[in-house]
Amino acid sequence: MSDSVSDCTDEVEPRTALTEAEVEALVRGICFKTGPPRAVGVELEWLVHELRSPRLPVTPERLKAAYAALRTVPLSSPLTVEPGGQLELSSPPAASLTECVRTVSADMAAVRAVLDQHGLALSGSGTDPWRTPRRFLHEPRYDAMEACLDRTGPAGRAMMCASASVQVCLDAGYEEPGPLGLGRRWWLSHTLGAVLTAAFANSPLLAGAPTGWRSTRQLLWMEIGAGRAGGPVLDGDPRASWARHVLDSPVMCVRRDGGPWDVPERLTFREWTRTGAPTREDLDYHISTLFPPVRPRGHLELRMIDAQPGEDGWIVPLAVTTALFEDPEAAEIAYRAVKPLAERARPLPAPHNPLWTDAARHGLADPELHETAVACFATALRALPRLGADDAIMTAVADYLDRYVLRGRTPADDQLDRLRGVDPHANGKDLRS
């Protein structure tokens, strides 16, 4: 989860009150910056735990000391802290997949070295499998966010404090139609997104217990509600549908210079423009409090992938997603592969529809999602050399295909096997024997 303020309206005077028509024009005109797809980026969220006893809670004092040390380390990527103390590293835009992997890998090695000195380590899991959610950051914006999300139940606090993801960032695409066009990429991101949710599901546990879902993190987003964490209707015009969604989504909070922020009930941004005087800064912040599975911020931010196990597990979803969007041949094949899935999604937007629900609940145990994932991974592998991917990236994707996708498994199944005392990659060998 990232609540950094959106930059998609940065061409308007920030303190000028906006009308409804101005909001729509701004969102339509600036949140999708079209042109030849050139850049790729990734945002990595990590849970932080004790190096030797990961089930034990880390005191706020130890986190503060470690994070103070991290602020002195020169990194190419901005490093921020999430409400529950999770770390997020956001890469700069890279000219190629290989450049992105190289930059982020170097930054992650530096971060791990500092944490190791403090007896801490990073964990790649979509939800914290051991501890109950607790807040590390206590600031007015997070107080307001918690108060707002509490209205829909406990999912909001778990999302804020006990979840982590891999978010892939890609250019919006060409204005013109075609496999690299904005319209196709917008539709593909919402349909292929369900396949990515299933293939990289890695959050079957929450607070020490199985939830019955392969991606509990995606379940949390669904439980927060469509107004806050849902996508827009795919009506063929990305700009119009997103502008409408922004205007009709509820306002999370109204910021104040001093004291607690207001948390209104059932106030949409459209209503606010009619009854108040929201500014461009308010619009920026409002957009940052919307958490759809695909968020346009000039580029497309794909937010549906659980954090992955291992130091380099994040490379696979980054590589597969980039290949299926950036290579024209692969994009066309992926479009044809996922097109039959669209029937399962209607009529509700992602992720609150049967397709996304099945992806989060069953992962690749769903036969149709399994078949589609196999086709998409094979397509990505063929495309990666055309994108200049190095041998290490291709080997990582091929290994994931063999270890998980072909077998209809995900890292979530490994977590469940270990909970049962079974070695997930030793033909069912009991770890307790």
Side-chain angles (χ1 to χ4, degrees), residues 267-310:
L267 174 69
T268 67
F269 204 87
R270 189 187 302 276
E271 291 164 342
W272 194 8
T273 64
R274 295 173 178 177
T275 60
T279 66
R280 192 209 74 192
E281 289 178 336
D282 293 322
L283 175 61
D284 285 343
Y285 193 79
H286 171 63
I287 292 173
S288 79
T289 67
L290 303 179
F291 307 117
V294 183
R295 184 162 64 179
R297 304 182 64 192
H299 58 273
L300 301 181
E301 182 183 79
L302 279 69
R303 305 168 51 85
M304 71 289 296
I305 301 169
D306 283 353
Q308 296 296 290

mmCIF file of all heavy atoms in Angstrom, residues 267-310:
data_model
loop_
_atom_site.group_PDB
_atom_site.id
_atom_site.type_symbol
_atom_site.label_atom_id
_atom_site.label_comp_id
_atom_site.label_asym_id
_atom_site.label_seq_id
_atom_site.Cartn_x
_atom_site.Cartn_y
_atom_site.Cartn_z
ATOM 1 N N LEU A 267 -19.333 11.168 1.710
ATOM 2 C CA LEU A 267 -19.085 12.370 0.916
ATOM 3 C C LEU A 267 -18.209 11.989 -0.258
ATOM 4 O O LEU A 267 -17.049 11.616 -0.087
ATOM 5 C CB LEU A 267 -18.391 13.449 1.752
ATOM 6 C CG LEU A 267 -17.951 14.707 0.975
ATOM 7 C CD1 LEU A 267 -19.172 15.503 0.513
ATOM 8 C CD2 LEU A 267 -17.013 15.565 1.826
ATOM 9 N N THR A 268 -18.739 12.035 -1.479
ATOM 10 C CA THR A 268 -17.925 11.766 -2.654
ATOM 11 C C THR A 268 -17.194 13.036 -3.061
ATOM 12 O O THR A 268 -17.561 14.149 -2.646
ATOM 13 C CB THR A 268 -18.770 11.281 -3.832
ATOM 14 O OG1 THR A 268 -19.620 12.361 -4.275
ATOM 15 C CG2 THR A 268 -19.622 10.081 -3.436
ATOM 16 N N PHE A 269 -16.154 12.867 -3.885
ATOM 17 C CA PHE A 269 -15.442 14.066 -4.337
ATOM 18 C C PHE A 269 -16.332 14.922 -5.220
ATOM 19 O O PHE A 269 -16.234 16.154 -5.200
ATOM 20 C CB PHE A 269 -14.162 13.678 -5.088
ATOM 21 C CG PHE A 269 -13.129 14.770 -5.070
ATOM 22 C CD1 PHE A 269 -12.229 14.855 -4.025
ATOM 23 C CD2 PHE A 269 -13.066 15.710 -6.082
ATOM 24 C CE1 PHE A 269 -11.277 15.871 -3.989
ATOM 25 C CE2 PHE A 269 -12.125 16.724 -6.070
ATOM 26 C CZ PHE A 269 -11.226 16.815 -5.012
ATOM 27 N N ARG A 270 -17.233 14.295 -5.960
ATOM 28 C CA ARG A 270 -18.174 15.063 -6.780
ATOM 29 C C ARG A 270 -19.042 15.962 -5.893
ATOM 30 O O ARG A 270 -19.231 17.143 -6.187
ATOM 31 C CB ARG A 270 -19.046 14.112 -7.597
ATOM 32 C CG ARG A 270 -19.910 14.818 -8.637
ATOM 33 C CD ARG A 270 -20.878 13.853 -9.309
ATOM 34 N NE ARG A 270 -20.222 12.741 -9.954
ATOM 35 C CZ ARG A 270 -19.707 12.788 -11.189
ATOM 36 N NH1 ARG A 270 -19.759 13.906 -11.873
ATOM 37 N NH2 ARG A 270 -19.144 11.705 -11.708
ATOM 38 N N GLU A 271 -19.545 15.390 -4.800
ATOM 39 C CA GLU A 271 -20.368 16.180 -3.880
ATOM 40 C C GLU A 271 -19.558 17.281 -3.219
ATOM 41 O O GLU A 271 -20.065 18.382 -2.970
ATOM 42 C CB GLU A 271 -20.982 15.263 -2.832
ATOM 43 C CG GLU A 271 -22.041 14.315 -3.400
ATOM 44 C CD GLU A 271 -22.362 13.179 -2.452
ATOM 45 O OE1 GLU A 271 -21.550 12.924 -1.523
ATOM 46 O OE2 GLU A 271 -23.415 12.545 -2.635
ATOM 47 N N TRP A 272 -18.298 16.996 -2.948
ATOM 48 C CA TRP A 272 -17.444 18.006 -2.321
ATOM 49 C C TRP A 272 -17.261 19.212 -3.240
ATOM 50 O O TRP A 272 -17.258 20.357 -2.787
ATOM 51 C CB TRP A 272 -16.096 17.377 -1.977
ATOM 52 C CG TRP A 272 -15.244 18.187 -1.033
ATOM 53 C CD1 TRP A 272 -15.600 19.305 -0.347
ATOM 54 C CD2 TRP A 272 -13.887 17.922 -0.680
ATOM 55 N NE1 TRP A 272 -14.559 19.760 0.427
ATOM 56 C CE2 TRP A 272 -13.495 18.923 0.246
ATOM 57 C CE3 TRP A 272 -12.981 16.928 -1.026
ATOM 58 C CZ2 TRP A 272 -12.212 18.969 0.797
ATOM 59 C CZ3 TRP A 272 -11.711 16.966 -0.466
ATOM 60 C CH2 TRP A 272 -11.329 17.971 0.429
ATOM 61 N N THR A 273 -17.104 18.962 -4.555
ATOM 62 C CA THR A 273 -16.966 20.094 -5.474
ATOM 63 C C THR A 273 -18.232 20.941 -5.530
ATOM 64 O O THR A 273 -18.174 22.127 -5.825
ATOM 65 C CB THR A 273 -16.624 19.612 -6.897
ATOM 66 O OG1 THR A 273 -17.703 18.826 -7.413
ATOM 67 C CG2 THR A 273 -15.341 18.804 -6.912
ATOM 68 N N ARG A 274 -19.371 20.302 -5.222
ATOM 69 C CA ARG A 274 -20.646 21.032 -5.290
ATOM 70 C C ARG A 274 -20.983 21.756 -3.986
ATOM 71 O O ARG A 274 -21.739 22.735 -3.998
ATOM 72 C CB ARG A 274 -21.769 20.057 -5.633
ATOM 73 C CG ARG A 274 -21.641 19.437 -7.014
ATOM 74 C CD ARG A 274 -22.679 18.341 -7.237
ATOM 75 N NE ARG A 274 -22.590 17.767 -8.586
ATOM 76 C CZ ARG A 274 -23.348 16.763 -9.020
ATOM 77 N NH1 ARG A 274 -24.253 16.213 -8.212
ATOM 78 N NH2 ARG A 274 -23.200 16.306 -10.246
ATOM 79 N N THR A 275 -20.428 21.278 -2.877
ATOM 80 C CA THR A 275 -20.799 21.848 -1.577
ATOM 81 C C THR A 275 -19.639 22.529 -0.860
ATOM 82 O O THR A 275 -19.843 23.187 0.159
ATOM 83 C CB THR A 275 -21.346 20.749 -0.648
ATOM 84 O OG1 THR A 275 -20.342 19.749 -0.448
ATOM 85 C CG2 THR A 275 -22.591 20.108 -1.262
ATOM 86 N N GLY A 276 -18.426 22.351 -1.362
ATOM 87 C CA GLY A 276 -17.260 22.923 -0.721
ATOM 88 C C GLY A 276 -16.327 23.530 -1.746
ATOM 89 O O GLY A 276 -16.761 23.968 -2.815
ATOM 90 N N ALA A 277 -15.038 23.552 -1.416
ATOM 91 C CA ALA A 277 -14.064 24.152 -2.319
ATOM 92 C C ALA A 277 -12.769 23.346 -2.308
ATOM 93 O O ALA A 277 -11.710 23.835 -1.890
ATOM 94 C CB ALA A 277 -13.789 25.599 -1.909
ATOM 95 N N PRO A 278 -12.796 22.087 -2.747
ATOM 96 C CA PRO A 278 -11.565 21.300 -2.772
ATOM 97 C C PRO A 278 -10.570 21.867 -3.777
ATOM 98 O O PRO A 278 -10.948 22.394 -4.828
ATOM 99 C CB PRO A 278 -12.045 19.914 -3.199
ATOM 100 C CG PRO A 278 -13.293 20.164 -3.987
ATOM 101 C CD PRO A 278 -13.938 21.340 -3.304
ATOM 102 N N THR A 279 -9.298 21.765 -3.439
ATOM 103 C CA THR A 279 -8.228 22.295 -4.272
ATOM 104 C C THR A 279 -7.550 21.184 -5.043
ATOM 105 O O THR A 279 -7.864 20.000 -4.882
ATOM 106 C CB THR A 279 -7.181 22.990 -3.394
ATOM 107 O OG1 THR A 279 -6.555 21.997 -2.561
ATOM 108 C CG2 THR A 279 -7.830 24.055 -2.516
ATOM 109 N N ARG A 280 -6.607 21.567 -5.878
ATOM 110 C CA ARG A 280 -5.839 20.558 -6.598
ATOM 111 C C ARG A 280 -5.093 19.657 -5.631
ATOM 112 O O ARG A 280 -4.956 18.456 -5.857
ATOM 113 C CB ARG A 280 -4.848 21.231 -7.547
ATOM 114 C CG ARG A 280 -4.217 20.256 -8.559
ATOM 115 C CD ARG A 280 -2.839 20.697 -8.968
ATOM 116 N NE ARG A 280 -1.886 20.444 -7.898
ATOM 117 C CZ ARG A 280 -0.655 20.941 -7.885
ATOM 118 N NH1 ARG A 280 -0.261 21.754 -8.856
ATOM 119 N NH2 ARG A 280 0.168 20.654 -6.897
ATOM 120 N N GLU A 281 -4.570 20.214 -4.534
ATOM 121 C CA GLU A 281 -3.898 19.398 -3.527
ATOM 122 C C GLU A 281 -4.864 18.383 -2.916
ATOM 123 O O GLU A 281 -4.493 17.240 -2.645
ATOM 124 C CB GLU A 281 -3.295 20.287 -2.440
ATOM 125 C CG GLU A 281 -2.092 21.098 -2.910
ATOM 126 C CD GLU A 281 -1.559 22.005 -1.817
ATOM 127 O OE1 GLU A 281 -2.342 22.346 -0.906
ATOM 128 O OE2 GLU A 281 -0.374 22.368 -1.882
ATOM 129 N N ASP A 282 -6.107 18.815 -2.700
ATOM 130 C CA ASP A 282 -7.109 17.871 -2.190
ATOM 131 C C ASP A 282 -7.383 16.762 -3.192
ATOM 132 O O ASP A 282 -7.552 15.592 -2.812
ATOM 133 C CB ASP A 282 -8.412 18.610 -1.868
ATOM 134 C CG ASP A 282 -8.280 19.568 -0.699
ATOM 135 O OD1 ASP A 282 -7.568 19.230 0.265
ATOM 136 O OD2 ASP A 282 -8.884 20.657 -0.762
ATOM 137 N N LEU A 283 -7.431 17.101 -4.463
ATOM 138 C CA LEU A 283 -7.652 16.095 -5.495
ATOM 139 C C LEU A 283 -6.477 15.118 -5.545
ATOM 140 O O LEU A 283 -6.677 13.897 -5.624
ATOM 141 C CB LEU A 283 -7.848 16.758 -6.851
ATOM 142 C CG LEU A 283 -7.981 15.808 -8.048
ATOM 143 C CD1 LEU A 283 -9.190 14.888 -7.891
ATOM 144 C CD2 LEU A 283 -8.074 16.604 -9.355
ATOM 145 N N ASP A 284 -5.253 15.651 -5.507
ATOM 146 C CA ASP A 284 -4.084 14.779 -5.490
ATOM 147 C C ASP A 284 -4.171 13.790 -4.335
ATOM 148 O O ASP A 284 -3.927 12.588 -4.510
ATOM 149 C CB ASP A 284 -2.804 15.609 -5.346
ATOM 150 C CG ASP A 284 -2.416 16.320 -6.630
ATOM 151 O OD1 ASP A 284 -2.924 15.938 -7.698
ATOM 152 O OD2 ASP A 284 -1.609 17.257 -6.555
ATOM 153 N N TYR A 285 -4.494 14.311 -3.157
ATOM 154 C CA TYR A 285 -4.531 13.433 -1.998
ATOM 155 C C TYR A 285 -5.680 12.428 -2.101
ATOM 156 O O TYR A 285 -5.521 11.259 -1.740
ATOM 157 C CB TYR A 285 -4.653 14.235 -0.698
ATOM 158 C CG TYR A 285 -4.374 13.363 0.503
ATOM 159 C CD1 TYR A 285 -3.074 13.050 0.854
ATOM 160 C CD2 TYR A 285 -5.415 12.802 1.236
ATOM 161 C CE1 TYR A 285 -2.802 12.212 1.923
ATOM 162 C CE2 TYR A 285 -5.154 11.955 2.299
ATOM 163 C CZ TYR A 285 -3.847 11.672 2.640
ATOM 164 O OH TYR A 285 -3.596 10.824 3.690
ATOM 165 N N HIS A 286 -6.813 12.865 -2.594
ATOM 166 C CA HIS A 286 -7.951 11.959 -2.770
ATOM 167 C C HIS A 286 -7.574 10.796 -3.676
ATOM 168 O O HIS A 286 -7.872 9.629 -3.363
ATOM 169 C CB HIS A 286 -9.127 12.738 -3.355
ATOM 170 C CG HIS A 286 -10.286 11.886 -3.774
ATOM 171 N ND1 HIS A 286 -11.009 11.125 -2.888
ATOM 172 C CD2 HIS A 286 -10.836 11.662 -5.009
ATOM 173 C CE1 HIS A 286 -11.968 10.476 -3.531
ATOM 174 N NE2 HIS A 286 -11.876 10.785 -4.819
ATOM 175 N N ILE A 287 -6.910 11.076 -4.792
ATOM 176 C CA ILE A 287 -6.516 10.010 -5.710
ATOM 177 C C ILE A 287 -5.554 9.047 -5.020
ATOM 178 O O ILE A 287 -5.617 7.828 -5.232
ATOM 179 C CB ILE A 287 -5.893 10.601 -6.984
ATOM 180 C CG1 ILE A 287 -6.956 11.349 -7.795
ATOM 181 C CG2 ILE A 287 -5.244 9.515 -7.840
ATOM 182 C CD1 ILE A 287 -6.415 12.104 -8.988
ATOM 183 N N SER A 288 -4.679 9.570 -4.149
ATOM 184 C CA SER A 288 -3.728 8.705 -3.456
ATOM 185 C C SER A 288 -4.401 7.812 -2.429
ATOM 186 O O SER A 288 -3.792 6.836 -1.969
ATOM 187 C CB SER A 288 -2.642 9.553 -2.775
ATOM 188 O OG SER A 288 -3.104 10.113 -1.555
ATOM 189 N N THR A 289 -5.641 8.100 -2.050
ATOM 190 C CA THR A 289 -6.359 7.256 -1.084
ATOM 191 C C THR A 289 -7.276 6.251 -1.768
ATOM 192 O O THR A 289 -8.050 5.570 -1.093
ATOM 193 C CB THR A 289 -7.193 8.117 -0.118
ATOM 194 O OG1 THR A 289 -8.256 8.768 -0.834
ATOM 195 C CG2 THR A 289 -6.330 9.152 0.583
ATOM 196 N N LEU A 290 -7.207 6.178 -3.083
ATOM 197 C CA LEU A 290 -7.937 5.155 -3.836
ATOM 198 C C LEU A 290 -6.954 4.032 -4.172
ATOM 199 O O LEU A 290 -5.852 4.288 -4.649
ATOM 200 C CB LEU A 290 -8.523 5.747 -5.120
ATOM 201 C CG LEU A 290 -9.460 6.945 -4.938
ATOM 202 C CD1 LEU A 290 -9.957 7.443 -6.293
ATOM 203 C CD2 LEU A 290 -10.623 6.598 -4.034
ATOM 204 N N PHE A 291 -7.363 2.796 -3.907
ATOM 205 C CA PHE A 291 -6.454 1.663 -4.046
ATOM 206 C C PHE A 291 -7.009 0.609 -4.998
ATOM 207 O O PHE A 291 -7.197 -0.554 -4.619
ATOM 208 C CB PHE A 291 -6.190 1.047 -2.678
ATOM 209 C CG PHE A 291 -5.728 2.033 -1.647
ATOM 210 C CD1 PHE A 291 -6.500 2.287 -0.525
ATOM 211 C CD2 PHE A 291 -4.537 2.716 -1.800
ATOM 212 C CE1 PHE A 291 -6.083 3.203 0.434
ATOM 213 C CE2 PHE A 291 -4.103 3.626 -0.851
ATOM 214 C CZ PHE A 291 -4.886 3.875 0.272
ATOM 215 N N PRO A 292 -7.281 0.985 -6.254
ATOM 216 C CA PRO A 292 -7.757 -0.018 -7.218
ATOM 217 C C PRO A 292 -6.621 -0.959 -7.582
ATOM 218 O O PRO A 292 -5.442 -0.659 -7.346
ATOM 219 C CB PRO A 292 -8.170 0.835 -8.416
ATOM 220 C CG PRO A 292 -7.241 2.010 -8.346
ATOM 221 C CD PRO A 292 -7.064 2.298 -6.883
ATOM 222 N N PRO A 293 -6.923 -2.098 -8.185
ATOM 223 C CA PRO A 293 -5.845 -3.006 -8.579
ATOM 224 C C PRO A 293 -4.930 -2.420 -9.645
ATOM 225 O O PRO A 293 -3.768 -2.819 -9.746
ATOM 226 C CB PRO A 293 -6.583 -4.242 -9.088
ATOM 227 C CG PRO A 293 -7.965 -3.777 -9.407
ATOM 228 C CD PRO A 293 -8.261 -2.664 -8.460
ATOM 229 N N VAL A 294 -5.445 -1.481 -10.437
ATOM 230 C CA VAL A 294 -4.621 -0.762 -11.416
ATOM 231 C C VAL A 294 -4.883 0.732 -11.205
ATOM 232 O O VAL A 294 -6.014 1.185 -11.350
ATOM 233 C CB VAL A 294 -4.968 -1.153 -12.869
ATOM 234 C CG1 VAL A 294 -4.040 -0.424 -13.838
ATOM 235 C CG2 VAL A 294 -4.885 -2.659 -13.058
ATOM 236 N N ARG A 295 -3.830 1.469 -10.861
ATOM 237 C CA ARG A 295 -4.008 2.898 -10.585
ATOM 238 C C ARG A 295 -3.226 3.713 -11.609
ATOM 239 O O ARG A 295 -2.012 3.566 -11.730
ATOM 240 C CB ARG A 295 -3.539 3.233 -9.163
ATOM 241 C CG ARG A 295 -3.799 4.682 -8.779
ATOM 242 C CD ARG A 295 -3.743 4.894 -7.264
ATOM 243 N NE ARG A 295 -2.424 4.639 -6.696
ATOM 244 C CZ ARG A 295 -2.147 4.789 -5.398
ATOM 245 N NH1 ARG A 295 -3.106 5.139 -4.550
ATOM 246 N NH2 ARG A 295 -0.937 4.545 -4.942
ATOM 247 N N PRO A 296 -3.908 4.574 -12.366
ATOM 248 C CA PRO A 296 -3.202 5.421 -13.329
ATOM 249 C C PRO A 296 -2.599 6.638 -12.640
ATOM 250 O O PRO A 296 -3.291 7.403 -11.977
ATOM 251 C CB PRO A 296 -4.306 5.824 -14.316
ATOM 252 C CG PRO A 296 -5.563 5.781 -13.517
ATOM 253 C CD PRO A 296 -5.380 4.735 -12.458
ATOM 254 N N ARG A 297 -1.305 6.808 -12.805
ATOM 255 C CA ARG A 297 -0.600 7.958 -12.232
ATOM 256 C C ARG A 297 0.277 8.597 -13.300
ATOM 257 O O ARG A 297 1.435 8.907 -13.075
ATOM 258 C CB ARG A 297 0.240 7.508 -11.040
ATOM 259 C CG ARG A 297 -0.559 6.785 -9.971
ATOM 260 C CD ARG A 297 0.314 6.400 -8.794
ATOM 261 N NE ARG A 297 0.845 7.577 -8.121
ATOM 262 C CZ ARG A 297 1.815 7.535 -7.204
ATOM 263 N NH1 ARG A 297 2.360 6.381 -6.880
ATOM 264 N NH2 ARG A 297 2.245 8.638 -6.625
ATOM 265 N N GLY A 298 -0.289 8.779 -14.476
ATOM 266 C CA GLY A 298 0.494 9.101 -15.651
ATOM 267 C C GLY A 298 0.893 7.792 -16.298
ATOM 268 O O GLY A 298 0.630 7.546 -17.473
ATOM 269 N N HIS A 299 1.517 6.925 -15.544
ATOM 270 C CA HIS A 299 1.792 5.543 -15.937
ATOM 271 C C HIS A 299 0.738 4.638 -15.298
ATOM 272 O O HIS A 299 -0.149 5.108 -14.587
ATOM 273 C CB HIS A 299 3.193 5.136 -15.482
ATOM 274 C CG HIS A 299 3.383 5.262 -13.994
ATOM 275 N ND1 HIS A 299 3.787 6.428 -13.381
ATOM 276 C CD2 HIS A 299 3.213 4.363 -12.979
ATOM 277 C CE1 HIS A 299 3.864 6.257 -12.072
ATOM 278 N NE2 HIS A 299 3.503 5.005 -11.802
ATOM 279 N N LEU A 300 0.826 3.348 -15.551
ATOM 280 C CA LEU A 300 -0.071 2.367 -14.947
ATOM 281 C C LEU A 300 0.651 1.656 -13.809
ATOM 282 O O LEU A 300 1.733 1.107 -14.008
ATOM 283 C CB LEU A 300 -0.550 1.340 -15.982
ATOM 284 C CG LEU A 300 -1.302 1.886 -17.183
ATOM 285 C CD1 LEU A 300 -1.734 0.731 -18.093
ATOM 286 C CD2 LEU A 300 -2.508 2.714 -16.759
ATOM 287 N N GLU A 301 0.044 1.665 -12.643
ATOM 288 C CA GLU A 301 0.596 1.019 -11.460
ATOM 289 C C GLU A 301 -0.226 -0.238 -11.182
ATOM 290 O O GLU A 301 -1.377 -0.157 -10.774
ATOM 291 C CB GLU A 301 0.527 2.000 -10.285
ATOM 292 C CG GLU A 301 1.099 1.513 -8.983
ATOM 293 C CD GLU A 301 0.902 2.547 -7.894
ATOM 294 O OE1 GLU A 301 -0.220 2.637 -7.342
ATOM 295 O OE2 GLU A 301 1.852 3.294 -7.598
ATOM 296 N N LEU A 302 0.361 -1.414 -11.432
ATOM 297 C CA LEU A 302 -0.333 -2.687 -11.239
ATOM 298 C C LEU A 302 -0.069 -3.164 -9.808
ATOM 299 O O LEU A 302 1.066 -3.476 -9.443
ATOM 300 C CB LEU A 302 0.156 -3.728 -12.253
ATOM 301 C CG LEU A 302 -0.471 -3.632 -13.652
ATOM 302 C CD1 LEU A 302 -0.022 -2.376 -14.387
ATOM 303 C CD2 LEU A 302 -0.133 -4.863 -14.482
ATOM 304 N N ARG A 303 -1.147 -3.231 -9.006
ATOM 305 C CA ARG A 303 -1.018 -3.360 -7.564
ATOM 306 C C ARG A 303 -1.496 -4.719 -7.028
ATOM 307 O O ARG A 303 -1.652 -4.878 -5.816
ATOM 308 C CB ARG A 303 -1.840 -2.256 -6.887
ATOM 309 C CG ARG A 303 -1.511 -0.844 -7.337
ATOM 310 C CD ARG A 303 -2.543 0.162 -6.854
ATOM 311 N NE ARG A 303 -2.776 0.044 -5.434
ATOM 312 C CZ ARG A 303 -2.033 0.637 -4.492
ATOM 313 N NH1 ARG A 303 -0.993 1.379 -4.852
ATOM 314 N NH2 ARG A 303 -2.314 0.478 -3.216
ATOM 315 N N MET A 304 -1.726 -5.684 -7.872
ATOM 316 C CA MET A 304 -2.423 -6.911 -7.448
ATOM 317 C C MET A 304 -1.508 -8.058 -7.034
ATOM 318 O O MET A 304 -1.987 -9.120 -6.660
ATOM 319 C CB MET A 304 -3.349 -7.388 -8.567
ATOM 320 C CG MET A 304 -2.685 -7.978 -9.805
ATOM 321 S SD MET A 304 -1.835 -6.780 -10.851
ATOM 322 C CE MET A 304 -3.198 -5.761 -11.402
ATOM 323 N N ILE A 305 -0.203 -7.891 -7.076
ATOM 324 C CA ILE A 305 0.725 -9.001 -6.863
ATOM 325 C C ILE A 305 1.207 -9.031 -5.416
ATOM 326 O O ILE A 305 1.701 -8.024 -4.898
ATOM 327 C CB ILE A 305 1.923 -8.887 -7.823
ATOM 328 C CG1 ILE A 305 1.433 -8.899 -9.279
ATOM 329 C CG2 ILE A 305 2.917 -10.004 -7.576
ATOM 330 C CD1 ILE A 305 2.501 -8.531 -10.288
ATOM 331 N N ASP A 306 1.074 -10.167 -4.765
ATOM 332 C CA ASP A 306 1.583 -10.335 -3.410
ATOM 333 C C ASP A 306 3.109 -10.233 -3.389
ATOM 334 O O ASP A 306 3.787 -10.603 -4.358
ATOM 335 C CB ASP A 306 1.210 -11.714 -2.855
ATOM 336 C CG ASP A 306 -0.237 -11.816 -2.419
ATOM 337 O OD1 ASP A 306 -0.945 -10.783 -2.408
ATOM 338 O OD2 ASP A 306 -0.678 -12.937 -2.087
ATOM 339 N N ALA A 307 3.662 -9.759 -2.256
ATOM 340 C CA ALA A 307 5.104 -9.839 -2.049
ATOM 341 C C ALA A 307 5.550 -11.289 -2.193
ATOM 342 O O ALA A 307 4.827 -12.216 -1.825
ATOM 343 C CB ALA A 307 5.469 -9.284 -0.676
ATOM 344 N N GLN A 308 6.749 -11.480 -2.717
ATOM 345 C CA GLN A 308 7.234 -12.820 -3.066
ATOM 346 C C GLN A 308 8.366 -13.272 -2.145
ATOM 347 O O GLN A 308 9.131 -12.467 -1.631
ATOM 348 C CB GLN A 308 7.719 -12.831 -4.512
ATOM 349 C CG GLN A 308 6.616 -12.565 -5.528
ATOM 350 C CD GLN A 308 5.557 -13.646 -5.524
ATOM 351 O OE1 GLN A 308 5.802 -14.761 -5.951
ATOM 352 N NE2 GLN A 308 4.365 -13.317 -5.039
ATOM 353 N N PRO A 309 8.483 -14.584 -1.940
ATOM 354 C CA PRO A 309 9.523 -15.104 -1.041
ATOM 355 C C PRO A 309 10.910 -15.004 -1.662
ATOM 356 O O PRO A 309 11.065 -14.938 -2.877
ATOM 357 C CB PRO A 309 9.108 -16.570 -0.863
ATOM 358 C CG PRO A 309 8.366 -16.909 -2.116
ATOM 359 C CD PRO A 309 7.642 -15.656 -2.499
ATOM 360 N N GLY A 310 11.918 -14.998 -0.779
ATOM 361 C CA GLY A 310 13.300 -14.966 -1.240
ATOM 362 C C GLY A 310 13.768 -13.554 -1.523
ATOM 363 O O GLY A 310 12.974 -12.640 -1.732
#
